[in-house]
Amino acid sequence: MNIERHRRAIEKLYTDRATIYRHEKVKDPVTKETRTIPQPIYMDQPCRISQRALATNGQTEAQNEIRYEMKLFISPEVEIWQGDLLEVKRGTVTRRYTAGEPFLYPTHQEVSLQRKEWA
């Protein structure tokens, strides 16, 4: 099997863009307080998202909760940790997700993404 040829074929499908954030400790120069805030690790990485399951409807009188899972396909060189925050842009729409544990292949990696927001 020609891994490079398969990888090039998969990467032709990467029409989305992802920015990966990781929580890191940052010291405020004024207050000297150390806080954990998301810092960008990778910017504008080519990728592809795919719907994994249909969204559940968590609508109540007080709120409408959006919750579903997606699958991210991205280069195996991009280091993604479970719990990283991702912003994925498809066309003109950008959505935020939390990463699950990645599964690596020689040609790509697959990462489960969870979206939890309120409409």
Side-chain angles (χ1 to χ4, degrees):
M1 179 187 333
N2 185 332
I3 299 291
E4 281 302 312
R5 189 174 75 216
H6 287 294
R7 182 172 178 171
R8 282 193 306 273
I10 290 170
E11 289 178 347
K12 285 182 182 179
L13 301 173
Y14 290 175
T15 57
D16 307 324
R17 296 286 175 175
T19 299
I20 294 100
Y21 297 87
R22 189 162 297 142
H23 287 91
E24 295 189 351
K25 292 181 180 181
V26 176
K27 189 171 188 175
D28 188 305
V30 177
T31 65
K32 307 293 186 217
E33 181 180 313
T34 301
R35 298 183 341 190
T36 303
I37 60 172
Q39 295 291 317
I41 303 298
Y42 298 99
M43 303 283 291
D44 203 33
Q45 293 294 307
C47 65
R48 178 74 175 205
I49 54 173
S50 176
Q51 185 174 1
R52 187 168 180 190
L54 293 175
T56 60
N57 185 358
Q59 185 166 350
T60 65
E61 287 184 26
Q63 68 188 22
N64 185 13
E65 186 176 298
I66 299 170
R67 177 180 277 181
Y68 60 88
E69 287 191 28
M70 301 289 281
K71 190 178 280 192
L72 174 78
F73 299 87
I74 196 164
S75 167
E77 286 80 26
V78 176
E79 188 178 358
I80 298 176
W81 296 354
Q82 184 171 345
D84 282 352
L85 305 175
L86 287 85
E87 283 185 347
V88 181
K89 183 175 183 180
R90 170 172 277 184
T92 59
V93 177
T94 301
R95 294 216 166 98
R96 293 188 177 117
Y97 303 94
T98 302
E101 185 175 8
F103 193 85
L104 288 147
Y105 294 96
T107 55
H108 68 287
Q109 66 178 306
E110 295 178 15
V111 183
S112 174
L113 302 178
Q114 291 79 38
R115 180 170 183 235
K116 297 178 188 175
E117 291 189 36
W118 290 277

